[in-house]
């Protein structure tokens, strides 16, 4: 295979698409909370809307990556500085990216705290318990961010693979379980009726397709960096594969949780002991608990906890690297000291946000940053990016350098 063919091969494109998949399918996805908030609560559309949402994101991602390739840009800062009419407008994307990273760390803190509380049988919905368990996670983050970053980075691939496999097992188990018998028994025992799906078609389209795709633009920086060796054809193939991988995985999880949603919502709304956060907490953990496969529940809980902690440490370290150079470099000469200060500030902010709970962060922090992304990413990419790409392609064609 020659070099040009390698740059556009499906195999190489798959490795780049996997970067998008790994960024998307993290703890928020594996918990099921993100899927319920944006898809499953609205019913059968949970099978269709994820595929449409990921298709829209693939189009935006392809356009940005193609623009970067044609312009010779290798990072998101240079790419957006050139894409916007004025270079300084790149700060608009920077704001989106920082907010989503802070929200992701906060969600991971809340998620890890809730997984730990559920695992030891403590009601996480009690405010004092939420603060206590989130503080435990924060203490772990501080130690790992200072002393164990290399260990976490080394283990991240294994953790990601493990959580993907166990999440797939959860989805399969959720479909295979005798849902009718489990539901009938629990509803009768607690004198409850199944909860109806949220009847809001317009909201389902807006949140499940547009907003979800918008805040998932967090994958753009990693995809630009990963696609440096790809040709334009390879970039197109990477986005086709990414669309299918992410869309189908999201649709499968959405369909499974759509099946369980009426029961889980009924148990939570009815205040049944042990299910007070069945929907707003870790729905996949609740499904496994109801199915009764204890060993899978234990493995899933441990891996999900580790995935949340790993995500937190990695993103905190990313923020430390990004901002320690601005933390009084003249007054504080030690890079490590500046790193500790930035890390403590970031963790303190994320702890405060984490008290919203996993569901609140995913619904509001992710959601509002998604609204912002529509204005500063979607619209600029379509309005300014596409015309600039056409101009660059025409120039390369005229110069005889088009791929």
């Amino acid at each position: 295979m020659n070099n040009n063919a390698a740059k556009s091969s499906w195999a190489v494109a798959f490795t780049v698409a996997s970067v998008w998949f790994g960024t998307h399918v993290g703890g928020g996805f594996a918990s099921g909370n993100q899927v319920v908030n944006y898809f499953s609560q609205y019913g059968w559309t949970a099978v269709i809307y994820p595929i449409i949402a990921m298709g829209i994101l693939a189009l935006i991602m392809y356009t940005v990556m193609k623009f970067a390739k044609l312009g010779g840009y290798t990072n998101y800062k240079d790419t957006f500085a050139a894409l916007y009419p004025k270079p300084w407008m790149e700060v608009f994307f920077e704001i989106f990216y920082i907010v989503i990273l802070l929200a992701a760390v906060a969600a991971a803190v809340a998620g890890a705290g809730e997984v730990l509380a559920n695992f030891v049988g403590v009601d996480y919905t009690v405010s004092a318990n939420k603060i206590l368990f989130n503080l435990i996670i924060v203490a772990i983050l501080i130690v790992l961010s200072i002393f164990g970053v290399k260990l976490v980075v080394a283990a991240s691939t294994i953790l990601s693979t493990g959580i993907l496999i166990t999440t797939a097992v959860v989805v399969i188990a959720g479909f295979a379980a005798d849902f009718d018998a489990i539901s009938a028994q629990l509803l009768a025992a607690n004198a409850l009726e199944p909860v109806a799906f949220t009847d809001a078609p317009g909201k389902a389209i807006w949140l499940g397709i547009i907003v979800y795709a918008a805040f998932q633009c967090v994958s753009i920086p990693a995809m630009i960096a990963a696609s440096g060796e790809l040709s334009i054809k390879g970039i197109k193939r990477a986005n086709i594969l990414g669309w299918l991988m992410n869309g189908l995985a999201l649709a499968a999880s959405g369909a499974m949780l759509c099946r369980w949603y009426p029961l889980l919502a009924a148990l939570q709304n009815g205040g049944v002991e042990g299910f007070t956060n069945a929907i707003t907490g870790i729905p996949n953990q609740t499904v496994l608990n109801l199915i009764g496969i204890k060993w899978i529940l234990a493995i899933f809980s441990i891996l999900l906890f580790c995935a949340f902690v790993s995500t937190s440490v990695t993103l905190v370290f990313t923020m430390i690297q990004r901002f320690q150079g601005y933390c009084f470099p003249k007054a504080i000469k030690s890079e490590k000291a500046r790193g500790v200060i930035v890390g403590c500030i970031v963790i303190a902010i994320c702890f405060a946000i984490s008290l919203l709970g996993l569901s609140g962060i995913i619904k509001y922090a992710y959601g509002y940053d998604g609204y912002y992304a529509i204005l500063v990413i979607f619209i600029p990419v379509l309005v300014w990016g596409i015309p600039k790409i056409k101009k660059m392609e025409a120039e390369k064609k005229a110069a005889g350098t088009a791929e």
Side-chain angles (χ1 to χ4, degrees):
M1 183 183 290
N2 62 45
N3 193 44
N4 287 333
K7 289 182 178 181
S8 61
S9 71
W10 285 103
V12 176
F14 177 78
T15 63
V16 176
S18 297
V19 172
W20 175 8
F21 188 68
T23 305
H24 175 208
V25 187
F29 173 92
S31 71
N33 191 301
Q34 197 166 284
V35 179
V36 168
N37 259 302
Y38 287 90
F39 301 105
S40 298
Q41 67 168 306
Y42 299 105
W44 66 269
T45 56
V47 182
I48 307 297
Y49 289 176
I51 297 173
I52 299 174
M54 292 300 97
I56 291 172
L57 181 56
L59 174 62
I60 296 296
M61 197 106 70
Y62 169 68
T63 304
V64 174
M65 291 166 69
K66 185 177 181 180
F67 179 84
K69 182 67 180 180
L70 291 170
Y73 309 117
T74 58
N75 60 74
Y76 75 90
K77 290 181 73 66
D78 292 341
T79 300
F80 281 94
L83 188 146
Y84 290 117
K86 302 290 184 182
W88 64 265
M89 293 175 70
E90 180 274 329
V91 73
F92 293 150
F93 184 89
E94 195 77 45
I95 292 169
F96 159 79
Y97 195 49
I98 291 170
V99 170
I100 205 72
L101 290 184
L102 288 172
V105 175
V109 170
E114 188 155 356
V115 170
L116 184 60
N118 292 345
F119 195 67
V120 299
V122 174
D123 187 354
Y124 184 78
T125 60
V126 176
S127 296
N129 292 339
K130 182 184 295 185
I131 293 172
L132 173 62
F133 279 90
N134 286 12
L135 280 174
I136 291 173
I137 303 305
V138 164
I140 293 172
L141 291 190
I142 291 172
V143 173
L144 289 177
S145 295
I146 296 172
F147 303 108
V149 172
K150 290 183 179 179
L151 173 64
V152 171
V153 171
S156 62
T157 301
I158 297 173
L159 287 173
S160 297
T161 303
I163 198 64
L164 285 175
I165 293 171
T166 52
T167 302
V169 171
V170 172
V171 171
I172 294 169
F175 279 121
D178 189 354
F179 170 77
D180 291 336
I182 295 172
S183 180
Q185 180 182 355
L186 281 169
L187 292 174
N190 294 282
L192 298 171
E193 292 292 330
V195 170
F197 292 109
T198 303
D199 185 18
K203 187 177 181 181
I205 292 171
W206 171 246
L207 293 178
I209 295 179
I210 308 300
V211 175
Y212 191 88
F215 74 73
Q216 287 297 335
C217 284
V218 67
S219 300
I220 288 176
M223 288 294 279
I224 291 173
S227 64
E229 296 302 314
L230 289 180
S231 64
I232 298 297
K233 186 177 181 180
I235 288 172
K236 181 182 292 186
R237 287 180 169 180
N239 280 282
I240 291 172
L241 289 172
W243 166 49
L244 294 174
M245 291 163 64
N246 286 282
L248 293 175
L250 198 54
S253 182
M256 187 277 287
L257 286 168
C258 179
R259 185 188 191 205
W260 287 84
Y261 176 82
L263 171 62
L264 300 187
L267 294 172
Q268 177 171 303
N269 294 349
V272 178
E273 186 177 353
F275 298 97
T276 51
N277 58 347
I279 285 294
T280 56
I282 316 287
N284 280 343
Q285 197 177 29
T286 306
V287 169
L288 280 179
N289 191 36
L290 290 173
I291 294 172
I293 310 177
K294 299 298 183 184
W295 66 273
I296 296 180
L297 175 61
I299 293 173
F300 175 76
S301 299
I302 292 169
L303 284 173
L304 185 57
F305 175 83
C306 291
F308 274 131
V309 171
S310 172
T311 297
S312 299
V313 173
T314 303
L315 293 182
V316 168
F317 185 67
T318 299
M319 300 289 276
I320 289 172
Q321 288 183 311
R322 176 71 181 81
F323 291 107
Q324 71 174 0
Y326 300 98
C327 183
F328 309 108
K330 293 182 179 179
I332 306 173
K333 301 298 183 182
S334 170
E335 279 192 12
K336 189 166 185 178
R338 294 201 304 268
V340 170
I341 293 170
V342 172
C344 289
I345 293 171
V346 169
I347 290 173
I349 293 170
C350 293
F351 170 73
I353 300 171
S354 76
L355 297 181
L356 289 171
L358 181 60
S359 190
I361 295 165
I362 288 173
K363 184 176 180 180
Y364 297 111
Y366 284 13
Y368 287 128
D369 208 28
Y371 300 161
Y372 176 72
I374 294 169
L375 295 176
V376 303
I377 302 174
F378 275 20
I379 294 175
V381 167
L382 298 175
V383 173
W384 295 314
I386 292 176
K388 287 186 176 184
I389 286 173
K390 290 180 178 178
K391 183 180 178 181
M392 286 190 288
E393 285 180 321
E395 290 172 350
K396 285 182 178 292
K397 187 175 182 180
T401 58
E403 293 190 26

